[in-house]
Amino acid sequence: MGKSEITEEAEENVSVKQKKIFVAGATGSSGKRIVEQLLAKGFAVKAGVRDLDKAKTTLSKDNPSLQIVKADVTEGSAKLSEAIGDDSEAVVDNFGTVNLVEACRKRGVNRFILISSILVNGAAMGQILNPAYIFLNVFGLTLIAKLQAEQYIRKSGINYTIIRPGGLRNEPPTGNIVMETEDTLYEGTISRDQVAEVAVEALLHPESSYKVVEIISRVDAPKRSYEDLFGSIKQR
């Protein structure tokens, strides 16, 4: 490896480490994985949590690249804006809340990764009788709230990537990622580890900008690069 290549690699690592990513819901099953994978990639992370005591036992408190802050997405955009601060360049949202989008607008944060769900637009897809659609909306109208957040972020002017995973599994990945355009998938599952990976890779690949992607995993799916996966999805 030549000297110039070593220098370029060092500069790339420094540029990644200078970024601070705010993760909402950082102690949740998916949020924790996103925090871990961001740290593994060299990002500095600001973990937004409701319960600071729980966070201290759940997250790696000895990592100097991790800052834990109190952030409750139900408390309004003003308090969320304080939590995000001036040092966050991007936000990853596991909840799908309008408050968090508005807080980003106040802070001038122009990169937003939203974890949504397949079937979020199930009514328009003719899937209103799909058992999964019914189940998710019985408890707090989860999909309807996420769809509202999607619509809000798409109109905000912020550079977004909306990730719609299938049914979430806690087990390690067993197949490769299948990525489709919005309102395409209505069944399938995926490991939370892979969802976190897609969220992190979206920050690293400009091909993911202003796109809605739906993801599941299949054992028979070919392994594809993230540049190829995101690049195959057209903007609408």
Side-chain angles (χ1 to χ4, degrees):
M1 180 180 290
K3 184 176 180 180
S4 62
E5 291 177 286
I6 295 174
T7 303
E8 288 175 4
E9 183 177 347
E11 288 176 351
E12 180 180 343
N13 288 337
V14 168
S15 67
V16 169
K17 289 180 180 179
Q18 287 175 340
K19 296 180 180 179
K20 183 167 285 190
I21 312 300
F22 180 90
V23 180
T27 56
S29 297
S30 295
K32 179 184 176 182
R33 288 168 167 85
I34 292 170
V35 169
E36 290 171 348
Q37 292 199 32
L38 283 169
L39 291 171
K41 284 283 188 180
F43 285 99
V45 178
K46 184 178 287 190
V49 302
R50 287 186 181 183
D51 188 332
L52 290 173
D53 291 331
K54 177 184 177 182
K56 291 175 183 177
T57 60
T58 304
L59 301 173
S60 176
K61 59 184 178 181
D62 297 325
N63 193 321
S65 295
L66 175 63
Q67 178 186 359
I68 301 172
V69 297
K70 185 172 178 59
D72 188 338
V73 296
T74 66
E75 289 187 344
S77 61
K79 287 191 175 182
L80 285 173
S81 177
E82 292 178 11
I84 291 171
D86 293 326
D87 54 353
S88 296
E89 296 188 18
V91 166
V92 182
D93 178 16
N94 289 292
F95 296 109
T97 60
V98 169
N99 285 340
L100 199 52
V101 179
E102 191 57 34
C104 285
R105 294 179 68 175
K106 290 180 178 179
R107 281 293 179 184
V109 175
N110 196 42
R111 191 69 176 100
F112 199 99
I113 311 295
L114 172 62
I115 309 299
S116 186
S117 174
I118 63 169
L119 289 173
V120 71
N121 202 24
M125 294 170 64
Q127 293 292 321
I128 197 167
L129 297 180
N130 185 309
Y133 182 81
I134 295 171
F135 175 79
L136 287 168
N137 274 320
V138 164
F139 300 99
L141 300 177
T142 301
L143 294 181
I144 292 175
K146 285 184 178 292
L147 182 59
Q148 290 174 341
E150 283 193 16
Q151 293 169 340
Y152 197 80
I153 185 66
R154 293 173 83 160
K155 295 176 182 177
S156 70
I158 296 173
N159 179 358
Y160 65 85
T161 303
I162 297 171
I163 300 169
R164 297 177 176 177
L168 298 172
R169 302 193 313 267
N170 292 323
E171 298 80 18
T174 55
N176 291 320
I177 291 172
V178 175
M179 185 177 288
E180 299 288 352
T181 190
E182 61 184 296
D183 300 341
T184 300
L185 299 173
Y186 56 87
E187 61 182 0
T189 63
I190 188 167
S191 168
R192 291 182 187 271
D193 293 322
Q194 288 171 307
V195 176
E197 184 178 298
V198 172
V200 174
E201 293 295 334
L203 291 168
L204 296 170
H205 289 84
E207 297 87 357
S208 70
S209 293
Y210 300 101
K211 290 183 179 179
V212 180
V213 302
E214 299 190 340
I215 54 172
I216 58 172
S217 64
R218 293 187 183 132
V219 293
D220 59 344
K223 186 170 181 59
R224 301 165 62 192
S225 70
Y226 278 102
E227 182 178 4
D228 182 29
L229 286 167
F230 285 121
S232 68
I233 305 299
K234 304 302 180 185
Q235 294 179 352
R236 286 193 180 182

